[in-house]
Amino acid sequence: MKVSIIILHYKYIQDTFDCLRSIGTLKFNQNQIGVLFIDNDEKPTLNDHLSELAKLHKNITILIPTKNLGFAKGVNMGLKKALEDKKTEYFLILNNDTELPGNALAKLIQYDADIVSPVLKFRSTQGKWVYDYGGKINWWTGRTTHVESTNKPIIPASPAGRQLTNNPIKHDLDYVSGCCMMVKRKALETVGLFDERFFFYFEDVDFCLRAKKNGFKIGIDREVIVYHKLGRSIGRWSKKAIMYNLISNYKFIRKNLGVRQVTGLIYLLLLTLKIIYNRLFKHI
């Protein structure tokens, strides 16, 4: 059994080093881990750090596109390469600004789902720890909502079912985050790769929807918590991030909402006008 970890590198080389160090501390046979870096910087930088990377993990492959491919196409480049190794049964798509705990791979592989993510832990703008438990879709607006809580997952010691005492998830999830997403080979080969029409944002949502339509199960393993330095690459609320989000949201609505895309597009137009107004007149 082999696991390929696909990491899209974009800026902040120190984050990439921290991520790779966490992979090196995993309680897992390191010989069964392959790491594929896609250097998605406008000016590739990883080749300048080959010796440092090699010290942190021996099974590293670096792929260098000719330009910034965006998230979906960049990750797909790594997945295509990883799929060539028929021994690889699991594919972990991972942001370079994450850090894995020691139990991450062993737990995620054991989890009863075809696509599984951990609980993602990040700092809010107020400095509080927030825990992300996957996401839901509003099928009238086409917008997505992350199921977030300031409560850390609590796993009872009793062996009676591993039920969370503070579970914020009230309904089945629609998707899990591509920030840290483990996919079984059968699911990937059946569903296909990420839709490359999404440059950034909504590609993970679209992928999970396609997987569910094909009968695959998605889930959150609450026994694994992964630290995410949220928004480090382009800024969570930067002009560029907002632009990519709105454009990808439009593509998602057109592709997935069917007859309800009318309400979705109206809502998106109003949201865009509100953002423009706030930027011009309220400087938000």
Side-chain angles (χ1 to χ4, degrees):
M1 177 182 64
K2 186 175 179 181
V3 179
S4 283
I5 302 179
I6 316 298
I7 301 175
L8 194 66
H9 167 78
Y10 184 76
K11 296 184 178 180
Y12 298 106
I13 186 67
Q14 190 58 53
D15 285 350
T16 298
F17 284 154
D18 291 343
C19 180
L20 193 55
R21 287 189 188 95
S22 73
I23 293 171
T25 62
L26 289 171
K27 298 171 184 176
F28 199 87
N29 185 346
Q30 293 289 328
N31 292 322
Q32 298 300 314
I33 299 175
V35 181
L36 280 150
F37 280 115
I38 300 89
D39 194 349
N40 215 29
D41 264 342
E42 286 83 359
K43 295 181 180 179
T45 56
L46 287 182
N47 268 347
D48 298 332
H49 300 276
L50 289 178
S51 60
E52 297 165 85
L53 291 168
K55 291 176 183 176
L56 296 174
H57 205 281
K58 59 183 179 180
N59 299 324
I60 291 180
T61 301
I62 297 176
L63 304 176
I64 303 178
T66 56
K67 61 180 180 179
N68 184 342
L69 300 177
F71 188 86
K73 195 170 185 178
V75 168
N76 282 352
M77 187 179 190
L79 288 172
K80 288 175 186 176
K81 182 68 175 177
L83 280 164
E84 293 174 2
D85 186 346
K86 300 302 181 184
K87 294 181 181 178
T88 301
E89 297 181 31
Y90 298 90
F91 302 82
L92 180 64
I93 299 162
L94 188 66
N95 276 20
N96 73 313
D97 60 351
T98 56
E99 294 179 21
L100 299 177
N103 68 342
L105 276 193
K107 287 286 186 182
L108 291 175
I109 285 173
Q110 293 171 4
Y111 193 81
D112 181 26
D114 304 288
I115 299 172
V116 58
S117 290
V119 175
L120 297 172
K121 169 185 173 182
F122 64 92
R123 288 278 189 190
S124 71
T125 53
Q126 292 78 31
K128 295 181 179 179
W129 286 115
V130 179
Y131 299 88
D132 186 326
Y133 293 83
K136 297 288 294 180
I137 301 166
N138 183 322
W139 288 104
W140 288 104
T141 65
R143 295 296 291 174
T144 56
T145 304
H146 287 264
V147 180
E148 296 177 349
S149 173
T150 54
N151 293 327
K152 183 179 180 179
I154 299 173
I155 308 297
S158 90
R162 316 294 286 167
Q163 193 70 24
L164 268 182
T165 56
N166 60 343
N167 187 2
I169 303 173
K170 307 301 181 185
H171 307 284
D172 288 340
L173 293 172
D174 291 321
Y175 68 94
V176 294
S177 175
C179 166
C180 183
M181 176 192 286
M182 177 78 81
V183 186
K184 291 182 180 179
R185 187 179 194 100
K186 184 178 179 181
L188 189 60
E189 290 179 335
T190 303
V191 177
L193 304 175
F194 285 171
D195 187 337
E196 295 180 0
R197 287 174 289 183
F198 299 99
F199 186 84
F200 193 37
Y201 294 122
F202 282 87
E203 63 287 306
D204 49 359
V205 185
D206 177 77
F207 180 80
C208 287
L209 287 183
R210 287 156 48 207
K212 292 183 78 171
K213 287 176 182 177
N214 279 275
F216 292 105
K217 182 180 177 182
I218 67 169
I220 292 284
D221 189 338
R222 302 166 183 86
E223 296 190 33
V224 181
I225 302 175
V226 167
Y227 173 43
H228 182 204
K229 304 168 187 175
L230 188 64
R232 287 272 288 177
S233 59
I234 64 173
R236 192 179 187 188
W237 304 114
S238 68
K239 291 180 181 178
K240 186 181 288 188
I242 292 171
M243 179 191 70
Y244 286 142
N245 187 289
L246 293 175
I247 291 172
S248 291
N249 196 180
Y250 170 79
K251 294 176 180 178
F252 178 81
I253 289 169
R254 293 286 289 160
K255 179 179 179 181
N256 291 293
L257 257 64
V259 295
R260 286 174 289 189
Q261 67 180 277
V262 174
T263 57
L265 292 173
I266 291 171
Y267 183 87
L268 184 63
L269 174 61
L270 294 174
L271 177 62
T272 303
L273 292 174
K274 179 183 177 182
I275 291 171
I276 293 172
Y277 175 81
N278 286 338
R279 290 276 169 160
L280 289 177
F281 299 105
K282 294 188 175 181
H283 306 290
I284 297 177

Short mmCIF file of all heavy atoms in Angstrom, two decimals, residues 191-222:
data_model
loop_
_atom_site.label_atom_id
_atom_site.label_comp_id
_atom_site.label_asym_id
_atom_site.label_seq_id
_atom_site.Cartn_x
_atom_site.Cartn_y
_atom_site.Cartn_z
N VAL A 191 -14.41 9.05 -10.74
CA VAL A 191 -14.91 10.42 -10.80
C VAL A 191 -14.10 11.26 -11.78
O VAL A 191 -14.63 12.14 -12.45
CB VAL A 191 -14.87 11.06 -9.39
CG1 VAL A 191 -15.31 12.52 -9.44
CG2 VAL A 191 -15.74 10.27 -8.44
N GLY A 192 -12.81 10.97 -11.90
CA GLY A 192 -11.94 11.79 -12.72
C GLY A 192 -11.25 12.86 -11.90
O GLY A 192 -11.39 12.93 -10.67
N LEU A 193 -10.51 13.71 -12.56
CA LEU A 193 -9.73 14.74 -11.88
C LEU A 193 -10.59 15.97 -11.59
O LEU A 193 -11.77 16.00 -11.90
CB LEU A 193 -8.52 15.11 -12.75
CG LEU A 193 -7.60 13.95 -13.15
CD1 LEU A 193 -6.52 14.43 -14.09
CD2 LEU A 193 -6.98 13.30 -11.91
N PHE A 194 -9.97 16.98 -10.98
CA PHE A 194 -10.68 18.23 -10.73
C PHE A 194 -11.04 18.90 -12.06
O PHE A 194 -10.30 18.79 -13.04
CB PHE A 194 -9.80 19.18 -9.91
CG PHE A 194 -9.68 18.82 -8.46
CD1 PHE A 194 -8.77 19.47 -7.65
CD2 PHE A 194 -10.46 17.84 -7.89
CE1 PHE A 194 -8.65 19.17 -6.30
CE2 PHE A 194 -10.35 17.51 -6.55
CZ PHE A 194 -9.44 18.18 -5.75
N ASP A 195 -12.15 19.60 -12.07
CA ASP A 195 -12.59 20.34 -13.26
C ASP A 195 -11.70 21.57 -13.41
O ASP A 195 -11.74 22.49 -12.58
CB ASP A 195 -14.05 20.75 -13.11
CG ASP A 195 -14.62 21.37 -14.39
OD1 ASP A 195 -13.85 21.89 -15.21
OD2 ASP A 195 -15.86 21.34 -14.55
N GLU A 196 -10.91 21.62 -14.48
CA GLU A 196 -9.91 22.67 -14.65
C GLU A 196 -10.51 24.00 -15.08
O GLU A 196 -9.79 24.99 -15.23
CB GLU A 196 -8.84 22.20 -15.63
CG GLU A 196 -8.05 21.02 -15.10
CD GLU A 196 -6.96 20.52 -16.04
OE1 GLU A 196 -6.81 21.11 -17.15
OE2 GLU A 196 -6.26 19.55 -15.69
N ARG A 197 -11.81 24.06 -15.26
CA ARG A 197 -12.46 25.35 -15.52
C ARG A 197 -12.46 26.22 -14.26
O ARG A 197 -12.63 27.44 -14.34
CB ARG A 197 -13.88 25.13 -16.02
CG ARG A 197 -13.96 24.62 -17.44
CD ARG A 197 -15.39 24.29 -17.83
NE ARG A 197 -15.88 23.09 -17.15
CZ ARG A 197 -17.08 22.55 -17.37
NH1 ARG A 197 -17.92 23.14 -18.24
NH2 ARG A 197 -17.45 21.46 -16.73
N PHE A 198 -12.27 25.58 -13.10
CA PHE A 198 -12.17 26.33 -11.85
C PHE A 198 -10.69 26.63 -11.59
O PHE A 198 -9.91 25.73 -11.29
CB PHE A 198 -12.74 25.51 -10.68
CG PHE A 198 -14.20 25.18 -10.83
CD1 PHE A 198 -14.60 23.94 -11.30
CD2 PHE A 198 -15.16 26.11 -10.50
CE1 PHE A 198 -15.94 23.62 -11.43
CE2 PHE A 198 -16.51 25.81 -10.63
CZ PHE A 198 -16.91 24.56 -11.10
N PHE A 199 -10.31 27.89 -11.73
CA PHE A 199 -8.90 28.25 -11.51
C PHE A 199 -8.55 28.18 -10.03
O PHE A 199 -7.51 27.67 -9.64
CB PHE A 199 -8.65 29.67 -12.04
CG PHE A 199 -7.20 30.09 -11.98
CD1 PHE A 199 -6.33 29.73 -13.00
CD2 PHE A 199 -6.71 30.84 -10.92
CE1 PHE A 199 -4.99 30.10 -12.95
CE2 PHE A 199 -5.38 31.21 -10.86
CZ PHE A 199 -4.52 30.85 -11.89
N PHE A 200 -9.45 28.68 -9.20
CA PHE A 200 -9.21 28.71 -7.75
C PHE A 200 -10.57 28.87 -7.06
O PHE A 200 -11.36 29.73 -7.46
CB PHE A 200 -8.29 29.89 -7.41
CG PHE A 200 -7.73 29.86 -6.01
CD1 PHE A 200 -7.35 28.67 -5.41
CD2 PHE A 200 -7.56 31.04 -5.29
CE1 PHE A 200 -6.83 28.64 -4.13
CE2 PHE A 200 -7.04 31.03 -4.00
CZ PHE A 200 -6.66 29.83 -3.43
N TYR A 201 -10.86 28.01 -6.10
CA TYR A 201 -12.14 27.93 -5.38
C TYR A 201 -13.17 27.09 -6.14
O TYR A 201 -13.23 27.12 -7.36
CB TYR A 201 -12.74 29.30 -5.07
CG TYR A 201 -11.94 30.15 -4.11
CD1 TYR A 201 -11.47 31.41 -4.49
CD2 TYR A 201 -11.65 29.71 -2.83
CE1 TYR A 201 -10.74 32.20 -3.62
CE2 TYR A 201 -10.92 30.49 -1.95
CZ TYR A 201 -10.46 31.74 -2.35
OH TYR A 201 -9.73 32.51 -1.49
N PHE A 202 -13.99 26.39 -5.38
CA PHE A 202 -15.13 25.59 -5.82
C PHE A 202 -14.74 24.30 -6.55
O PHE A 202 -15.60 23.49 -6.84
CB PHE A 202 -16.09 26.41 -6.71
CG PHE A 202 -16.96 27.33 -5.93
CD1 PHE A 202 -16.53 28.62 -5.61
CD2 PHE A 202 -18.22 26.93 -5.49
CE1 PHE A 202 -17.33 29.48 -4.86
CE2 PHE A 202 -19.03 27.79 -4.75
CZ PHE A 202 -18.58 29.07 -4.45
N GLU A 203 -13.45 24.08 -6.85
CA GLU A 203 -13.07 22.83 -7.52
C GLU A 203 -13.26 21.63 -6.60
O GLU A 203 -13.66 20.56 -7.05
CB GLU A 203 -11.62 22.89 -8.04
CG GLU A 203 -10.54 23.03 -6.98
CD GLU A 203 -10.48 24.40 -6.35
OE1 GLU A 203 -10.36 25.39 -7.08
OE2 GLU A 203 -10.54 24.47 -5.10
N ASP A 204 -13.01 21.82 -5.29
CA ASP A 204 -13.20 20.73 -4.34
C ASP A 204 -14.69 20.44 -4.12
O ASP A 204 -15.09 19.28 -3.99
CB ASP A 204 -12.51 21.04 -3.01
CG ASP A 204 -12.81 22.42 -2.45
OD1 ASP A 204 -13.56 23.19 -3.11
OD2 ASP A 204 -12.29 22.76 -1.37
N VAL A 205 -15.51 21.50 -4.12
CA VAL A 205 -16.96 21.33 -3.98
C VAL A 205 -17.50 20.54 -5.17
O VAL A 205 -18.25 19.57 -5.00
CB VAL A 205 -17.66 22.70 -3.88
CG1 VAL A 205 -19.16 22.50 -3.60
CG2 VAL A 205 -17.03 23.57 -2.80
N ASP A 206 -17.13 20.95 -6.35
CA ASP A 206 -17.58 20.27 -7.58
C ASP A 206 -17.12 18.81 -7.60
O ASP A 206 -17.90 17.92 -7.96
CB ASP A 206 -17.02 21.02 -8.79
CG ASP A 206 -17.36 20.34 -10.10
OD1 ASP A 206 -18.51 20.47 -10.56
OD2 ASP A 206 -16.47 19.67 -10.67
N PHE A 207 -15.89 18.56 -7.18
CA PHE A 207 -15.36 17.19 -7.16
C PHE A 207 -16.16 16.30 -6.22
O PHE A 207 -16.52 15.17 -6.56
CB PHE A 207 -13.88 17.21 -6.77
CG PHE A 207 -13.24 15.85 -6.72
CD1 PHE A 207 -12.82 15.22 -7.87
CD2 PHE A 207 -13.06 15.20 -5.51
CE1 PHE A 207 -12.24 13.96 -7.84
CE2 PHE A 207 -12.47 13.94 -5.46
CZ PHE A 207 -12.06 13.32 -6.63
N CYS A 208 -16.46 16.81 -5.03
CA CYS A 208 -17.23 16.03 -4.06
C CYS A 208 -18.64 15.76 -4.56
O CYS A 208 -19.18 14.66 -4.34
CB CYS A 208 -17.27 16.75 -2.71
SG CYS A 208 -15.70 16.72 -1.81
N LEU A 209 -19.26 16.72 -5.21
CA LEU A 209 -20.60 16.50 -5.76
C LEU A 209 -20.58 15.40 -6.80
O LEU A 209 -21.47 14.53 -6.82
CB LEU A 209 -21.13 17.79 -6.38
CG LEU A 209 -21.54 18.90 -5.43
CD1 LEU A 209 -22.12 20.07 -6.22
CD2 LEU A 209 -22.56 18.41 -4.41
N ARG A 210 -19.60 15.42 -7.68
CA ARG A 210 -19.48 14.37 -8.69
C ARG A 210 -19.26 13.02 -8.04
O ARG A 210 -19.81 12.00 -8.50
CB ARG A 210 -18.34 14.70 -9.66
CG ARG A 210 -18.67 15.85 -10.61
CD ARG A 210 -17.43 16.55 -11.13
NE ARG A 210 -16.42 15.63 -11.62
CZ ARG A 210 -15.12 15.90 -11.64
NH1 ARG A 210 -14.67 17.07 -11.20
NH2 ARG A 210 -14.27 15.02 -12.10
N ALA A 211 -18.47 12.98 -6.98
CA ALA A 211 -18.22 11.72 -6.27
C ALA A 211 -19.50 11.18 -5.65
O ALA A 211 -19.80 9.98 -5.75
CB ALA A 211 -17.15 11.93 -5.21
N LYS A 212 -20.27 12.04 -5.01
CA LYS A 212 -21.52 11.61 -4.38
C LYS A 212 -22.52 11.10 -5.42
O LYS A 212 -23.25 10.13 -5.18
CB LYS A 212 -22.12 12.76 -3.57
CG LYS A 212 -21.29 13.13 -2.33
CD LYS A 212 -21.94 14.22 -1.51
CE LYS A 212 -23.07 13.67 -0.66
NZ LYS A 212 -23.59 14.67 0.30
N LYS A 213 -22.56 11.76 -6.58
CA LYS A 213 -23.45 11.30 -7.65
C LYS A 213 -23.07 9.92 -8.15
O LYS A 213 -23.91 9.18 -8.67
CB LYS A 213 -23.43 12.31 -8.81
CG LYS A 213 -24.15 13.61 -8.50
CD LYS A 213 -24.02 14.60 -9.64
CE LYS A 213 -24.71 15.92 -9.30
NZ LYS A 213 -24.53 16.93 -10.38
N ASN A 214 -21.79 9.56 -8.00
CA ASN A 214 -21.31 8.25 -8.41
C ASN A 214 -21.36 7.23 -7.27
O ASN A 214 -20.83 6.13 -7.40
CB ASN A 214 -19.88 8.35 -8.95
CG ASN A 214 -19.81 8.82 -10.39
OD1 ASN A 214 -19.94 8.03 -11.32
ND2 ASN A 214 -19.63 10.12 -10.58
N GLY A 215 -21.98 7.61 -6.16
CA GLY A 215 -22.19 6.67 -5.06
C GLY A 215 -21.05 6.59 -4.06
O GLY A 215 -21.07 5.72 -3.18
N PHE A 216 -20.08 7.49 -4.15
CA PHE A 216 -18.97 7.46 -3.21
C PHE A 216 -19.30 8.28 -1.96
O PHE A 216 -20.03 9.27 -2.02
CB PHE A 216 -17.69 7.99 -3.86
CG PHE A 216 -17.16 7.09 -4.95
CD1 PHE A 216 -17.31 7.44 -6.28
CD2 PHE A 216 -16.53 5.89 -4.63
CE1 PHE A 216 -16.84 6.60 -7.29
CE2 PHE A 216 -16.07 5.05 -5.62
CZ PHE A 216 -16.22 5.40 -6.96
N LYS A 217 -18.74 7.85 -0.86
CA LYS A 217 -19.02 8.46 0.44
C LYS A 217 -17.92 9.45 0.81
O LYS A 217 -16.74 9.17 0.64
CB LYS A 217 -19.11 7.36 1.51
CG LYS A 217 -19.47 7.86 2.90
CD LYS A 217 -19.53 6.68 3.87
CE LYS A 217 -19.80 7.14 5.29
NZ LYS A 217 -19.82 5.99 6.24
N ILE A 218 -18.34 10.62 1.32
CA ILE A 218 -17.37 11.58 1.82
C ILE A 218 -17.58 11.74 3.32
O ILE A 218 -18.66 11.47 3.85
CB ILE A 218 -17.48 12.95 1.12
CG1 ILE A 218 -18.80 13.64 1.47
CG2 ILE A 218 -17.35 12.80 -0.39
CD1 ILE A 218 -18.86 15.08 1.01
N GLY A 219 -16.52 12.15 4.02
CA GLY A 219 -16.65 12.30 5.47
C GLY A 219 -15.53 13.10 6.08
O GLY A 219 -14.54 13.44 5.42
N ILE A 220 -15.71 13.42 7.36
CA ILE A 220 -14.71 14.14 8.16
C ILE A 220 -14.26 13.23 9.30
O ILE A 220 -15.09 12.71 10.05
CB ILE A 220 -15.30 15.43 8.76
CG1 ILE A 220 -15.60 16.46 7.66
CG2 ILE A 220 -14.36 16.03 9.80
CD1 ILE A 220 -14.39 17.16 7.11
N ASP A 221 -12.96 13.00 9.39
CA ASP A 221 -12.43 12.23 10.51
C ASP A 221 -12.13 13.19 11.65
O ASP A 221 -11.15 13.94 11.62
CB ASP A 221 -11.14 11.50 10.09
CG ASP A 221 -10.67 10.51 11.14
OD1 ASP A 221 -11.06 10.68 12.32
OD2 ASP A 221 -9.92 9.59 10.80
N ARG A 222 -12.98 13.16 12.68
CA ARG A 222 -12.86 14.10 13.79
C ARG A 222 -11.72 13.75 14.73
O ARG A 222 -11.45 14.51 15.67
CB ARG A 222 -14.20 14.16 14.53
CG ARG A 222 -15.37 14.57 13.64
CD ARG A 222 -16.70 14.29 14.33
NE ARG A 222 -17.85 14.59 13.49
CZ ARG A 222 -18.38 13.75 12.61
NH1 ARG A 222 -17.84 12.55 12.44
NH2 ARG A 222 -19.42 14.09 11.88
#
